[in-house]
Amino acid sequence: MIHTCGHKIPDSDSIVAAIAMAYLQNKLGNEAKAVRQGDINPESQYILDKFNLQAPELMTSFSGKDMYLVDFNNYTEAPEDLKDANIIGIVDHHKLGGLVTAGPLDCWIRAVGCTNTIVKEMFDYYEVEIPADIAGAMMCAILSDTVIFKSPTCTKVDTKITKELAAIANIEDFKAIGMEMFKVKSQVEGVPTRELVLRDFKNFEMHGTKVGIGQLEVVDLSIFDDIKDDLIADIEALREETSCDTVLLLLTDIIAMGSQILVATKSLNEIENAWDIKVQNDQFWLKGCLSRKKQVVPFLEPQFKK
Ligand code: MG
Ligand code: MG
Ligand code: MG
């Protein structure tokens, strides 16, 4: 049995790619099951409900199991016992993260905006038809990861494949669904602060320095006006609890196209040097910043080189 599984703190790309990949593997005659390492976020729940799909099963231990990794390829986002699992394949769109495997494997890694873009290419390669419900969910995952094509991570391949998936799913106005999705994402009222901080959170090891970066993508930053102080206090608490050097929270405005970045750090100079900015009241505005992967991590990481 192949377990198709996305990263810790799964996002919509991880959830949907696990589902699509399990479907594809079963069609290819390889028994497979979609699983997830954590809770379903509100956006992913919206997608599952919209296309009547079942959530992947929660599973956190994989010792001795066959795994197909989707949307990640590093140990920090992997199950604790990944080293005891058998990785038979990876489909991903991130930088290489240092995995070691016991045997040869299938690798589908491309510099595109979303794992589901590559999964669609796999369906085409193997000449397997995608059911309409799965196609619709894959389309949503691409719209999410590429911020409705606005992110610098978005490529021509992503836009082309989104349109193909929309056609399979019989959806005309896919951008409207994208906006609906981001409105679901923008609901923060009444949600505990820590839950917001960790909703889309990744840990990084930058030349031996522990850095955590969360991101909330919304349609209007004013929703944070009343809770911004709480968020700042919480990332400072989280930084201490997890012995991180730095915890950042990106409040990304997908309409204004930029991020208000909240900062908890022991390395203020490094943060300010990374973007040549000044941090004031534990925050700064980064114009044009939509992508943690392309516009945050590559600027911060070199600052910690010893
Ligand atoms: Mg992801
Ligand atoms: Mg992704
Ligand atoms: Mg994302």
Side-chain angles (χ1 to χ4, degrees), residues 91-265:
V91 52
D92 190 24
H93 66 132
H94 291 92
K95 65 176 186 157
L96 294 178
L99 282 192
V100 177
T101 62
L105 71 163
D106 276 356
C107 260
W108 294 74
I109 298 179
R110 298 199 58 200
V112 293
C114 183
T115 301
N116 276 278
T117 298
I118 312 166
V119 176
K120 165 70 166 66
E121 292 183 315
M122 294 179 72
F123 273 93
D124 293 346
Y125 176 84
Y126 289 111
E127 297 179 341
V128 173
E129 264 182 46
I130 311 177
D133 50 358
I134 293 180
M138 291 170 74
M139 177 203 79
C140 282
I142 303 175
L143 291 169
S144 170
D145 258 19
T146 64
V147 193
I148 321 180
F149 306 156
K150 291 180 183 185
S151 170
T153 59
C154 186
T155 68
K156 280 185 184 148
V157 186
D158 298 295
T159 53
K160 176 178 154 275
I161 283 180
T162 302
K163 287 168 192 162
E164 290 170 7
L165 289 166
I168 297 168
N170 255 314
I171 290 165
E172 255 171 53
D173 196 352
F174 57 83
K175 286 198 178 174
I177 293 184
M179 273 310 288
E180 229 175 284
M181 227 166 50
F182 277 93
K183 279 182 194 148
V184 170
K185 260 186 159 172
S186 303
Q187 283 162 17
V188 299
E189 237 181 76
V191 183
T193 313
R194 181 56 63 85
E195 199 180 309
L196 289 175
V197 169
L198 295 181
R199 187 173 273 177
D200 176 6
F201 194 88
K202 284 184 197 279
N203 285 298
F204 299 89
E205 182 89 35
M206 299 188 178
H207 306 285
T209 302
K210 278 179 74 179
V211 177
I213 308 175
Q215 183 173 28
L216 292 165
E217 297 158 317
V218 301
V219 289
D220 180 7
L221 282 194
S222 68
I223 57 168
F224 296 116
D225 286 353
D226 294 339
I227 57 169
K228 208 186 275 171
D229 291 344
D230 296 339
L231 290 169
I232 291 169
D234 196 69
I235 58 170
E236 178 54 32
L238 180 66
R239 190 192 67 70
E240 278 174 34
E241 284 162 35
T242 54
S243 326
C244 273
D245 175 89
T246 297
V247 173
L248 303 180
L249 182 63
L250 280 52
L251 306 179
T252 300
D253 188 322
I254 71 159
I255 306 297
M257 303 274 285
S259 294
Q260 188 72 21
I261 301 187
L262 310 186
V263 180
T265 187

